[in-house]
Amino acid sequence: MNEPNPFLDPARLQELYGHASRLAGRTSALMRAKTAGRPVPETIVSLVQTHHGQPDRLGVVLDIGCGRGTSSLVIAEQLRPQCVVGLDAAPSLLAQARERAKELPDSRVDFVEGDFHDLPLPTGSSDVVVAAFCLYHSPHPRNVIAQIARVLAPGGLAVLVTKGLDSYQEMDQLVASAGLDPRADQHDSLYTAAHSGNLADLAASSLDVIAVLDEEHVFTFDGNDHMAQYLATNPKYDLAPGLYGNPGALAATLHEFLPDQPLTTRSRITFVVAQPSEGRPA
């Protein structure tokens, strides 16, 4: 029997997102390693500017799974809608998002706690809905997309973003070869619920897909210490007691079993742009 997917296991939500510093550390290490691929928030902005009929006259933009608010703040600064609503289920991430929003002058950004299966916005209220790197946290992503379709205004736009099933497989191989988790390259992908191969079909269940963009993002970690910063809170791996959440101990283990050298890994990032379907009930 396969082990539960950490991204679909409610029992692990507190572990994964109860401490904003863990996500910040993992994200920071990944972004420091990035050598190819456009920043995702800026790509989202570009897609809205290209495909929305009135990108300079936006009302409400809803950013689902906003996390620490990175995309929400870029959207507010570059698109300047009347209001950005960032929604997430993790209070610790929302608290950090609110702190970060204070640095943006004259921003109209509101961060709210909520469930993306039951969006707390009125029907037809949002000119743009963004769902980046969050749909794979739902066992029923079609239901989330149906909610997105419900809250989109006529002429509105949805931008959905996910990763490929084989993202970071080079990291899986390294973790297995180091003995940190001998089955690291055999675990199911974290992104099985909504991945590059099925995102457009998921979107088409409630929306009209108008564009699909695939990009390869490349990351080069400069050595074991850098990799340990990323791996220490990665939920995919079954690490020994004392290693999870402990980059120093994890780095020491990597140094013991592997030469200290760079590692390059890749991820396919898929953007799906969709709009409300004519003739479908709201």
Side-chain angles (χ1 to χ4, degrees), residues 1-273:
M1 181 176 177
N2 291 338
E3 67 273 17
N5 185 320
F7 278 178
L8 300 176
D9 184 358
R12 296 194 65 178
L13 290 181
Q14 176 64 24
E15 170 197 316
L16 296 180
Y17 301 110
H19 305 280
S21 60
R22 288 185 171 181
L23 179 61
R26 190 166 67 246
T27 301
S28 175
L30 190 64
M31 291 303 98
R32 183 158 59 92
K34 192 169 183 178
T35 57
R38 292 183 295 170
V40 169
E42 283 78 0
T43 303
I44 291 169
V45 166
S46 176
L47 289 170
V48 173
Q49 291 170 333
T50 299
H51 294 286
H52 195 282
Q54 295 182 311
D56 55 345
R57 297 177 60 187
L58 298 175
V60 174
V61 175
L62 172 62
D63 184 16
I64 299 173
C66 65
R68 299 169 55 246
T70 301
S71 291
S72 302
L73 299 182
V74 171
I75 289 167
E77 191 169 25
Q78 297 189 13
L79 289 176
R80 302 195 65 79
Q82 292 180 9
C83 178
V84 176
V85 177
L87 180 134
D88 205 281
S92 67
L93 301 184
L94 291 169
Q96 191 167 96
R98 293 185 185 107
E99 282 299 311
R100 297 175 74 196
K102 293 177 181 178
E103 302 175 4
L104 191 63
D106 303 322
S107 67
R108 297 183 179 181
V109 186
D110 187 20
F111 292 103
V112 298
E113 184 177 349
D115 180 355
F116 58 7
H117 298 97
D118 185 17
L119 294 175
L121 273 76
T123 296
S125 61
S126 303
D127 289 323
V128 174
V129 178
V130 174
F133 306 129
C134 64
L135 291 172
Y136 42 64
H137 286 287
S138 170
H140 306 291
R142 291 178 190 272
N143 294 351
V144 180
I145 292 169
Q147 280 288 298
I148 292 172
R150 179 185 66 80
V151 302
L152 271 176
L157 201 71
V159 182
L160 316 177
V161 191
T162 193
K163 302 183 184 184
L165 286 172
D166 59 353
S167 293
Y168 316 120
Q169 62 181 351
E170 297 88 354
M171 186 72 76
D172 297 344
Q173 294 160 2
L174 176 135
V175 171
S177 64
L180 294 169
D181 177 357
R183 297 187 62 254
D185 55 356
Q186 300 172 42
H187 295 311
D188 290 340
S189 172
L190 295 173
Y191 315 114
T192 51
H195 54 84
S196 293
N198 73 351
L199 185 61
D201 287 341
L202 291 173
S205 63
S206 296
L207 299 164
D208 286 341
V209 174
I210 59 174
V212 178
L213 173 66
D214 287 314
E215 291 189 351
E216 183 182 62
H217 288 211
V218 181
F219 307 85
T220 298
F221 292 82
D222 56 26
N224 291 338
D225 292 344
H226 189 182
M227 285 184 278
Q229 291 291 329
Y230 173 71
L231 292 171
T233 58
N234 190 312
K236 185 174 185 178
Y237 306 118
D238 296 327
L239 302 177
L243 295 184
Y244 189 83
N246 190 340
L250 187 53
T253 303
L254 287 172
H255 282 295
E256 182 177 356
F257 292 103
L258 292 176
D260 192 16
Q261 59 189 20
L263 173 78
T264 296
T265 189
R266 294 166 173 80
S267 177
R268 176 184 175 190
I269 308 297
T270 297
F271 302 81
V272 170
V273 183

